[in-house]
Amino acid sequence: MRLLVDVGNTAVKVATEQGGQITMISEAAIPWQNITEVLIAQVGRNDDLAPILMQARARNIPHLSASVSATLGDLICAYPEFKNLGIDRWLTVVASYHLFPNKACVIVDSGTATKVDVLDDKGRHQGGWILPGLDMMIESLVSNTQQVFSDEHTKFDVTLGTNTPNAVKNAALSATVALAQQAITQVKQNAAAEQFQLIFAGGYGELIQQHLDSSGIYFDDLVMQGLVFWRKYQQNA
């Protein structure tokens, strides 16, 4: 059984994987007695990862940190300086490439930041965009302007706001949806990508899906799936 660890900017997520089955669990529920390997995707702080590494080392369990490469099999990274691409983005691309082979993909992963990445049907990462996440947009606006405020009770929507919290939250969501729509438009302009798969991930992924395209697919473990596929390449290298 493997332990999969996603160290994000604001949270650490863990899951177990056995026989291709990924199960999201809490850090307190890690079945260390059954773990044979730890796979790590890290964009957040080392301090957040330290307790897990301590447990793994105490039990002599090997751990591997995923990294970005120029290619991974037939998958090609868009970044000439590939090491500058966040591992979380790369793993969502890796997972999408394997889950939807020979299909163009638009990946919308929205949490602390919103990342939109495009993959063509030949397995070539086209690049993407990074936008502040919904909460970060709101916090930045409220903390840097006078008489602009928000609250925890107002729901996100894409309608015109009729009060300040509506105007702030709805603008953040509308901007995010518009960015994702722009990626879809660009993919549709490619004659070779008449059919494509829209993929959502992250804490706000389902919300964006509701306001963009409900026919897309939401994954709560997309980075974890990418970790598993990444590991297969290392084993076969």
Side-chain angles (χ1 to χ4, degrees):
M1 177 183 288
R2 289 192 181 107
L3 179 68
L4 311 178
V5 185
D6 177 7
V7 186
N9 288 300
T10 56
V12 176
K13 299 177 183 177
V14 294
T16 57
E17 184 272 330
Q18 188 169 31
Q21 180 67 38
I22 296 174
T23 304
M24 304 297 294
I25 60 172
S26 69
E27 194 170 332
I30 296 174
W32 285 110
Q33 69 278 9
N34 299 323
I35 301 299
T36 58
E37 183 178 68
V38 180
L39 302 181
I40 302 163
Q42 183 179 6
V43 297
R45 300 179 305 174
N46 288 332
D47 291 349
D48 294 332
L49 178 61
I52 293 175
L53 289 182
M54 187 180 301
Q55 292 283 354
R57 288 167 179 156
R59 294 169 170 80
N60 294 316
I61 300 171
H63 63 273
L64 293 87
S65 291
S67 59
V68 183
S69 52
T71 61
L72 195 67
D74 293 330
L75 179 61
I76 300 172
C77 180
Y79 275 31
E81 299 293 334
F82 60 86
K83 292 182 180 179
N84 292 336
L85 180 68
I87 187 60
D88 53 341
R89 290 177 60 195
W90 181 236
L91 291 177
T92 63
V93 170
V94 171
S96 300
Y97 172 71
H98 284 276
L99 292 169
F100 304 100
N102 304 314
K103 203 168 189 179
C105 296
V106 174
I107 306 157
V108 182
D109 182 4
S110 184
T112 303
T114 296
K115 291 89 66 177
V116 179
D117 280 280
V118 174
L119 178 67
D120 75 9
D121 58 352
K122 300 294 191 300
R124 295 172 298 204
H125 177 221
Q126 301 296 290
W129 296 308
I130 305 173
L131 189 72
L134 299 182
D135 292 336
M136 190 182 294
M137 280 195 216
I138 294 166
E139 181 181 349
S140 176
L141 182 62
V142 170
S143 62
N144 288 285
T145 55
Q146 297 181 11
Q147 297 185 348
V148 175
F149 62 94
S150 185
D151 60 42
E152 297 180 357
H153 310 293
T154 300
K155 294 183 179 180
F156 285 100
D157 205 338
V158 292
T159 57
L160 295 173
T162 54
N163 57 58
T164 300
N166 278 147
V168 171
K169 284 193 166 182
N170 293 6
L173 179 59
S174 296
T176 303
V177 169
L179 185 74
Q181 183 60 59
Q182 178 63 20
I184 294 170
T185 299
Q186 291 194 23
V187 169
K188 286 183 175 181
Q189 289 173 349
N190 186 344
E194 293 178 358
Q195 291 190 351
F196 72 96
Q197 182 62 53
L198 184 55
I199 300 163
F200 297 94
Y204 279 118
E206 288 180 293
L207 174 66
I208 296 168
Q209 179 185 19
Q210 293 168 12
H211 292 278
L212 181 63
D213 188 341
S214 60
S215 67
I217 300 177
Y218 174 79
F219 293 95
D220 65 356
D221 61 354
L222 195 62
V223 170
M224 303 297 195
Q225 293 197 54
L227 263 176
V228 174
F229 288 122
W230 175 86
R231 181 63 177 127
K232 289 180 180 179
Y233 281 103
Q234 311 313 308
Q235 292 173 319
N236 295 330

Short mmCIF file of all heavy atoms in Angstrom, two decimals, residues 10-63:
data_model
loop_
_atom_site.label_atom_id
_atom_site.label_comp_id
_atom_site.label_asym_id
_atom_site.label_seq_id
_atom_site.Cartn_x
_atom_site.Cartn_y
_atom_site.Cartn_z
N THR A 10 -2.03 25.68 1.34
CA THR A 10 -2.77 25.92 2.58
C THR A 10 -3.17 24.65 3.31
O THR A 10 -3.69 24.73 4.42
CB THR A 10 -4.05 26.73 2.29
OG1 THR A 10 -4.85 26.03 1.31
CG2 THR A 10 -3.71 28.11 1.75
N ALA A 11 -2.95 23.48 2.72
CA ALA A 11 -3.37 22.24 3.37
C ALA A 11 -2.54 21.07 2.87
O ALA A 11 -1.97 21.11 1.77
CB ALA A 11 -4.85 21.98 3.11
N VAL A 12 -2.48 20.04 3.70
CA VAL A 12 -1.85 18.78 3.31
C VAL A 12 -2.94 17.73 3.17
O VAL A 12 -3.73 17.52 4.10
CB VAL A 12 -0.82 18.31 4.37
CG1 VAL A 12 -0.25 16.95 3.99
CG2 VAL A 12 0.29 19.33 4.51
N LYS A 13 -3.00 17.12 2.00
CA LYS A 13 -3.98 16.06 1.76
C LYS A 13 -3.23 14.74 1.65
O LYS A 13 -2.14 14.68 1.08
CB LYS A 13 -4.76 16.32 0.48
CG LYS A 13 -5.56 17.60 0.49
CD LYS A 13 -6.26 17.83 -0.85
CE LYS A 13 -7.01 19.15 -0.88
NZ LYS A 13 -7.63 19.39 -2.20
N VAL A 14 -3.83 13.69 2.20
CA VAL A 14 -3.21 12.37 2.13
C VAL A 14 -4.24 11.35 1.65
O VAL A 14 -5.45 11.50 1.84
CB VAL A 14 -2.62 11.93 3.48
CG1 VAL A 14 -1.46 12.83 3.87
CG2 VAL A 14 -3.68 11.92 4.57
N ALA A 15 -3.71 10.32 1.01
CA ALA A 15 -4.56 9.24 0.51
C ALA A 15 -3.75 7.97 0.49
O ALA A 15 -2.51 7.99 0.44
CB ALA A 15 -5.08 9.56 -0.90
N THR A 16 -4.43 6.84 0.51
CA THR A 16 -3.77 5.56 0.30
C THR A 16 -4.09 5.07 -1.10
O THR A 16 -5.12 5.43 -1.68
CB THR A 16 -4.24 4.51 1.33
OG1 THR A 16 -5.68 4.37 1.24
CG2 THR A 16 -3.85 4.92 2.73
N GLU A 17 -3.18 4.29 -1.64
CA GLU A 17 -3.40 3.70 -2.97
C GLU A 17 -2.97 2.25 -2.93
O GLU A 17 -1.86 1.91 -2.49
CB GLU A 17 -2.59 4.45 -4.03
CG GLU A 17 -2.82 3.95 -5.46
CD GLU A 17 -1.89 2.82 -5.85
OE1 GLU A 17 -0.76 2.78 -5.33
OE2 GLU A 17 -2.29 1.96 -6.67
N GLN A 18 -3.87 1.40 -3.38
CA GLN A 18 -3.57 -0.03 -3.45
C GLN A 18 -4.35 -0.62 -4.61
O GLN A 18 -5.56 -0.45 -4.71
CB GLN A 18 -3.94 -0.74 -2.15
CG GLN A 18 -3.47 -2.19 -2.09
CD GLN A 18 -3.62 -2.76 -0.70
OE1 GLN A 18 -4.52 -2.39 0.05
NE2 GLN A 18 -2.74 -3.67 -0.32
N GLY A 19 -3.63 -1.25 -5.51
CA GLY A 19 -4.28 -1.86 -6.67
C GLY A 19 -5.02 -0.86 -7.53
O GLY A 19 -6.04 -1.20 -8.15
N GLY A 20 -4.52 0.37 -7.59
CA GLY A 20 -5.16 1.39 -8.40
C GLY A 20 -6.30 2.10 -7.71
O GLY A 20 -6.85 3.07 -8.26
N GLN A 21 -6.64 1.69 -6.51
CA GLN A 21 -7.74 2.32 -5.77
C GLN A 21 -7.19 3.39 -4.83
O GLN A 21 -6.38 3.10 -3.94
CB GLN A 21 -8.50 1.28 -4.95
CG GLN A 21 -9.67 1.82 -4.15
CD GLN A 21 -10.80 2.33 -5.03
OE1 GLN A 21 -11.11 1.73 -6.05
NE2 GLN A 21 -11.42 3.43 -4.63
N ILE A 22 -7.61 4.64 -5.03
CA ILE A 22 -7.17 5.75 -4.21
C ILE A 22 -8.26 6.10 -3.20
O ILE A 22 -9.42 6.29 -3.57
CB ILE A 22 -6.83 6.98 -5.07
CG1 ILE A 22 -5.64 6.67 -5.99
CG2 ILE A 22 -6.52 8.19 -4.20
CD1 ILE A 22 -5.32 7.77 -6.97
N THR A 23 -7.87 6.19 -1.93
CA THR A 23 -8.82 6.51 -0.87
C THR A 23 -8.30 7.71 -0.08
O THR A 23 -7.22 7.63 0.53
CB THR A 23 -9.01 5.32 0.09
OG1 THR A 23 -9.42 4.17 -0.66
CG2 THR A 23 -10.06 5.64 1.14
N MET A 24 -9.04 8.79 -0.10
CA MET A 24 -8.65 9.98 0.66
C MET A 24 -8.89 9.71 2.14
O MET A 24 -9.95 9.20 2.53
CB MET A 24 -9.45 11.20 0.21
CG MET A 24 -9.37 11.51 -1.28
SD MET A 24 -7.71 11.94 -1.85
CE MET A 24 -7.43 13.48 -0.98
N ILE A 25 -7.90 10.05 2.97
CA ILE A 25 -8.01 9.82 4.41
C ILE A 25 -7.49 11.06 5.15
O ILE A 25 -6.93 11.97 4.54
CB ILE A 25 -7.22 8.57 4.85
CG1 ILE A 25 -5.73 8.75 4.50
CG2 ILE A 25 -7.79 7.31 4.23
CD1 ILE A 25 -4.83 7.65 5.06
N SER A 26 -7.64 11.06 6.46
CA SER A 26 -7.06 12.13 7.27
C SER A 26 -5.64 11.73 7.66
O SER A 26 -5.29 10.54 7.66
CB SER A 26 -7.90 12.36 8.52
OG SER A 26 -7.80 11.25 9.40
N GLU A 27 -4.84 12.73 7.98
CA GLU A 27 -3.46 12.45 8.37
C GLU A 27 -3.42 11.57 9.62
O GLU A 27 -2.53 10.73 9.77
CB GLU A 27 -2.72 13.77 8.61
CG GLU A 27 -1.23 13.63 8.68
CD GLU A 27 -0.53 14.98 8.67
OE1 GLU A 27 -1.07 15.94 8.09
OE2 GLU A 27 0.57 15.06 9.25
N ALA A 28 -4.38 11.76 10.51
CA ALA A 28 -4.41 10.98 11.74
C ALA A 28 -4.76 9.51 11.49
O ALA A 28 -4.49 8.65 12.34
CB ALA A 28 -5.42 11.59 12.71
N ALA A 29 -5.36 9.22 10.33
CA ALA A 29 -5.82 7.85 10.04
C ALA A 29 -4.86 7.08 9.13
O ALA A 29 -5.22 6.02 8.61
CB ALA A 29 -7.20 7.91 9.40
N ILE A 30 -3.64 7.58 8.95
CA ILE A 30 -2.69 6.88 8.08
C ILE A 30 -2.37 5.50 8.66
O ILE A 30 -1.93 5.39 9.81
CB ILE A 30 -1.39 7.68 7.93
CG1 ILE A 30 -1.65 9.01 7.23
CG2 ILE A 30 -0.34 6.88 7.16
CD1 ILE A 30 -0.45 9.94 7.18
N PRO A 31 -2.59 4.42 7.90
CA PRO A 31 -2.30 3.07 8.40
C PRO A 31 -0.83 2.71 8.19
O PRO A 31 -0.46 1.92 7.32
CB PRO A 31 -3.22 2.20 7.53
CG PRO A 31 -3.29 2.93 6.22
CD PRO A 31 -3.21 4.40 6.57
N TRP A 32 0.02 3.31 9.03
CA TRP A 32 1.46 3.18 8.82
C TRP A 32 1.92 1.72 8.76
O TRP A 32 2.90 1.39 8.08
CB TRP A 32 2.21 3.93 9.91
CG TRP A 32 2.19 5.42 9.73
CD1 TRP A 32 1.53 6.35 10.47
CD2 TRP A 32 2.89 6.15 8.72
NE1 TRP A 32 1.75 7.62 9.98
CE2 TRP A 32 2.59 7.53 8.90
CE3 TRP A 32 3.73 5.79 7.66
CZ2 TRP A 32 3.11 8.53 8.09
CZ3 TRP A 32 4.26 6.78 6.85
CH2 TRP A 32 3.95 8.13 7.06
N GLN A 33 1.24 0.84 9.45
CA GLN A 33 1.67 -0.56 9.48
C GLN A 33 1.53 -1.22 8.11
O GLN A 33 2.17 -2.26 7.85
CB GLN A 33 0.86 -1.35 10.52
CG GLN A 33 -0.61 -1.55 10.18
CD GLN A 33 -1.50 -0.37 10.53
OE1 GLN A 33 -1.01 0.70 10.89
NE2 GLN A 33 -2.80 -0.55 10.44
N ASN A 34 0.73 -0.60 7.22
CA ASN A 34 0.52 -1.19 5.89
C ASN A 34 1.25 -0.43 4.77
O ASN A 34 1.22 -0.87 3.62
CB ASN A 34 -0.98 -1.22 5.57
CG ASN A 34 -1.77 -2.07 6.54
OD1 ASN A 34 -1.30 -3.10 7.00
ND2 ASN A 34 -2.96 -1.61 6.89
N ILE A 35 1.85 0.70 5.09
CA ILE A 35 2.47 1.54 4.07
C ILE A 35 3.85 1.00 3.69
O ILE A 35 4.69 0.73 4.57
CB ILE A 35 2.59 2.99 4.56
CG1 ILE A 35 1.20 3.56 4.92
CG2 ILE A 35 3.28 3.86 3.51
CD1 ILE A 35 0.24 3.60 3.77
N THR A 36 4.09 0.86 2.39
CA THR A 36 5.39 0.39 1.90
C THR A 36 6.17 1.48 1.16
O THR A 36 7.37 1.33 0.93
CB THR A 36 5.21 -0.80 0.95
OG1 THR A 36 4.36 -0.41 -0.15
CG2 THR A 36 4.56 -1.98 1.67
N GLU A 37 5.48 2.57 0.80
CA GLU A 37 6.13 3.64 0.05
C GLU A 37 5.32 4.92 0.20
O GLU A 37 4.09 4.86 0.28
CB GLU A 37 6.24 3.24 -1.42
CG GLU A 37 6.96 4.23 -2.30
CD GLU A 37 7.07 3.75 -3.74
OE1 GLU A 37 6.03 3.66 -4.42
OE2 GLU A 37 8.20 3.45 -4.17
N VAL A 38 6.01 6.05 0.23
CA VAL A 38 5.35 7.35 0.32
C VAL A 38 5.70 8.16 -0.92
O VAL A 38 6.89 8.33 -1.25
CB VAL A 38 5.79 8.13 1.58
CG1 VAL A 38 5.08 9.49 1.64
CG2 VAL A 38 5.50 7.32 2.85
N LEU A 39 4.68 8.63 -1.62
CA LEU A 39 4.87 9.48 -2.80
C LEU A 39 4.39 10.89 -2.46
O LEU A 39 3.30 11.06 -1.91
CB LEU A 39 4.09 8.94 -4.00
CG LEU A 39 4.41 7.52 -4.45
CD1 LEU A 39 3.56 7.15 -5.67
CD2 LEU A 39 5.89 7.37 -4.78
N ILE A 40 5.19 11.89 -2.82
CA ILE A 40 4.93 13.25 -2.37
C ILE A 40 4.86 14.21 -3.55
O ILE A 40 5.71 14.19 -4.44
CB ILE A 40 6.04 13.73 -1.41
CG1 ILE A 40 6.15 12.78 -0.21
CG2 ILE A 40 5.80 15.16 -0.96
CD1 ILE A 40 7.45 12.92 0.56
N ALA A 41 3.85 15.06 -3.55
CA ALA A 41 3.75 16.22 -4.45
C ALA A 41 3.76 17.44 -3.56
O ALA A 41 2.84 17.65 -2.78
CB ALA A 41 2.48 16.16 -5.28
N GLN A 42 4.79 18.27 -3.67
CA GLN A 42 4.95 19.37 -2.72
C GLN A 42 5.10 20.71 -3.40
O GLN A 42 6.03 20.93 -4.17
CB GLN A 42 6.17 19.12 -1.82
CG GLN A 42 6.35 20.20 -0.76
CD GLN A 42 7.54 19.94 0.15
OE1 GLN A 42 8.30 19.00 -0.07
NE2 GLN A 42 7.69 20.76 1.17
N VAL A 43 4.18 21.62 -3.10
CA VAL A 43 4.34 23.03 -3.45
C VAL A 43 4.33 23.89 -2.20
O VAL A 43 4.70 25.06 -2.25
CB VAL A 43 3.25 23.51 -4.44
CG1 VAL A 43 3.33 22.76 -5.75
CG2 VAL A 43 1.86 23.37 -3.82
N GLY A 44 3.88 23.32 -1.09
CA GLY A 44 3.78 24.07 0.16
C GLY A 44 5.04 23.97 1.00
O GLY A 44 6.10 23.54 0.55
N ARG A 45 4.93 24.31 2.27
CA ARG A 45 6.08 24.43 3.17
C ARG A 45 6.59 23.08 3.63
O ARG A 45 5.83 22.12 3.80
CB ARG A 45 5.68 25.25 4.40
CG ARG A 45 5.20 26.67 4.10
CD ARG A 45 4.82 27.37 5.39
NE ARG A 45 3.83 26.59 6.15
CZ ARG A 45 3.41 26.92 7.36
NH1 ARG A 45 3.89 28.01 7.96
NH2 ARG A 45 2.51 26.19 7.99
N ASN A 46 7.91 23.01 3.88
CA ASN A 46 8.50 21.79 4.41
C ASN A 46 7.97 21.46 5.79
O ASN A 46 7.86 20.29 6.16
CB ASN A 46 10.03 21.95 4.48
CG ASN A 46 10.69 21.91 3.12
OD1 ASN A 46 10.17 21.28 2.19
ND2 ASN A 46 11.82 22.58 2.98
N ASP A 47 7.63 22.50 6.57
CA ASP A 47 7.12 22.26 7.92
C ASP A 47 5.84 21.43 7.90
O ASP A 47 5.59 20.65 8.83
CB ASP A 47 6.84 23.59 8.63
CG ASP A 47 8.12 24.35 8.96
OD1 ASP A 47 9.21 23.76 8.82
OD2 ASP A 47 8.02 25.53 9.32
N ASP A 48 5.04 21.60 6.87
CA ASP A 48 3.78 20.85 6.79
C ASP A 48 4.02 19.38 6.46
O ASP A 48 3.21 18.52 6.80
CB ASP A 48 2.88 21.47 5.71
CG ASP A 48 2.42 22.87 6.07
OD1 ASP A 48 2.32 23.15 7.28
OD2 ASP A 48 2.17 23.67 5.16
N LEU A 49 5.13 19.10 5.81
CA LEU A 49 5.45 17.73 5.42
C LEU A 49 6.24 16.99 6.49
O LEU A 49 6.20 15.76 6.56
CB LEU A 49 6.25 17.76 4.11
CG LEU A 49 6.73 16.42 3.52
CD1 LEU A 49 5.54 15.52 3.20
CD2 LEU A 49 7.58 16.67 2.28
N ALA A 50 6.94 17.74 7.33
CA ALA A 50 7.88 17.15 8.29
C ALA A 50 7.29 16.03 9.16
O ALA A 50 7.94 14.99 9.33
CB ALA A 50 8.47 18.25 9.17
N PRO A 51 6.09 16.18 9.73
CA PRO A 51 5.57 15.08 10.58
C PRO A 51 5.40 13.76 9.82
O PRO A 51 5.64 12.69 10.39
CB PRO A 51 4.22 15.63 11.06
CG PRO A 51 4.34 17.10 10.94
CD PRO A 51 5.19 17.35 9.74
N ILE A 52 5.01 13.83 8.57
CA ILE A 52 4.83 12.61 7.79
C ILE A 52 6.18 11.98 7.47
O ILE A 52 6.36 10.76 7.59
CB ILE A 52 4.05 12.91 6.49
CG1 ILE A 52 2.61 13.31 6.85
CG2 ILE A 52 4.06 11.72 5.54
CD1 ILE A 52 1.78 13.76 5.66
N LEU A 53 7.15 12.79 7.10
CA LEU A 53 8.48 12.26 6.82
C LEU A 53 9.09 11.64 8.07
O LEU A 53 9.79 10.62 8.00
CB LEU A 53 9.39 13.36 6.28
CG LEU A 53 9.10 13.86 4.87
CD1 LEU A 53 10.12 14.91 4.46
CD2 LEU A 53 9.08 12.70 3.87
N MET A 54 8.85 12.24 9.21
CA MET A 54 9.37 11.71 10.46
C MET A 54 8.83 10.31 10.72
O MET A 54 9.57 9.38 11.11
CB MET A 54 9.00 12.64 11.62
CG MET A 54 9.64 12.26 12.95
SD MET A 54 9.16 13.41 14.27
CE MET A 54 9.76 14.95 13.59
N GLN A 55 7.54 10.14 10.49
CA GLN A 55 6.91 8.83 10.68
C GLN A 55 7.46 7.81 9.69
O GLN A 55 7.74 6.66 10.05
CB GLN A 55 5.39 8.95 10.52
CG GLN A 55 4.69 9.74 11.60
CD GLN A 55 4.54 8.95 12.90
OE1 GLN A 55 4.86 7.76 12.98
NE2 GLN A 55 4.05 9.62 13.93
N ALA A 56 7.63 8.23 8.44
CA ALA A 56 8.14 7.31 7.42
C ALA A 56 9.57 6.88 7.72
O ALA A 56 9.93 5.70 7.63
CB ALA A 56 8.07 7.97 6.05
N ARG A 57 10.42 7.83 8.11
CA ARG A 57 11.81 7.51 8.41
C ARG A 57 11.93 6.61 9.63
O ARG A 57 12.79 5.73 9.69
CB ARG A 57 12.60 8.81 8.61
CG ARG A 57 12.84 9.56 7.31
CD ARG A 57 13.33 10.97 7.58
NE ARG A 57 13.59 11.68 6.32
CZ ARG A 57 13.59 13.00 6.20
NH1 ARG A 57 13.34 13.77 7.26
NH2 ARG A 57 13.83 13.56 5.03
N ALA A 58 11.07 6.84 10.61
CA ALA A 58 11.11 6.01 11.81
C ALA A 58 10.79 4.56 11.50
O ALA A 58 11.23 3.65 12.22
CB ALA A 58 10.13 6.56 12.85
N ARG A 59 10.05 4.33 10.43
CA ARG A 59 9.67 2.98 10.03
C ARG A 59 10.47 2.47 8.83
O ARG A 59 10.14 1.43 8.26
CB ARG A 59 8.17 2.95 9.70
CG ARG A 59 7.28 3.22 10.92
CD ARG A 59 5.84 3.46 10.52
NE ARG A 59 4.94 3.49 11.66
CZ ARG A 59 4.76 4.52 12.46
NH1 ARG A 59 5.44 5.65 12.22
NH2 ARG A 59 3.94 4.47 13.49
N ASN A 60 11.47 3.25 8.43
CA ASN A 60 12.31 2.89 7.26
C ASN A 60 11.48 2.70 5.99
O ASN A 60 11.75 1.80 5.18
CB ASN A 60 13.12 1.62 7.55
CG ASN A 60 14.16 1.84 8.63
OD1 ASN A 60 14.85 2.85 8.64
ND2 ASN A 60 14.25 0.89 9.57
N ILE A 61 10.46 3.53 5.83
CA ILE A 61 9.62 3.48 4.62
C ILE A 61 10.19 4.47 3.61
O ILE A 61 10.36 5.66 3.93
CB ILE A 61 8.16 3.85 4.96
CG1 ILE A 61 7.58 2.88 5.99
CG2 ILE A 61 7.31 3.86 3.69
CD1 ILE A 61 6.23 3.29 6.52
N PRO A 62 10.51 4.04 2.41
CA PRO A 62 11.08 4.96 1.42
C PRO A 62 10.06 6.01 0.98
O PRO A 62 8.86 5.75 0.95
CB PRO A 62 11.46 4.04 0.26
CG PRO A 62 10.58 2.84 0.40
CD PRO A 62 10.37 2.67 1.88
N HIS A 63 10.57 7.21 0.65
CA HIS A 63 9.68 8.26 0.15
C HIS A 63 10.30 8.88 -1.09
O HIS A 63 11.53 9.00 -1.20
CB HIS A 63 9.43 9.32 1.21
CG HIS A 63 10.66 10.06 1.65
ND1 HIS A 63 11.49 9.60 2.66
CD2 HIS A 63 11.21 11.23 1.23
CE1 HIS A 63 12.49 10.44 2.83
NE2 HIS A 63 12.34 11.44 1.98
#
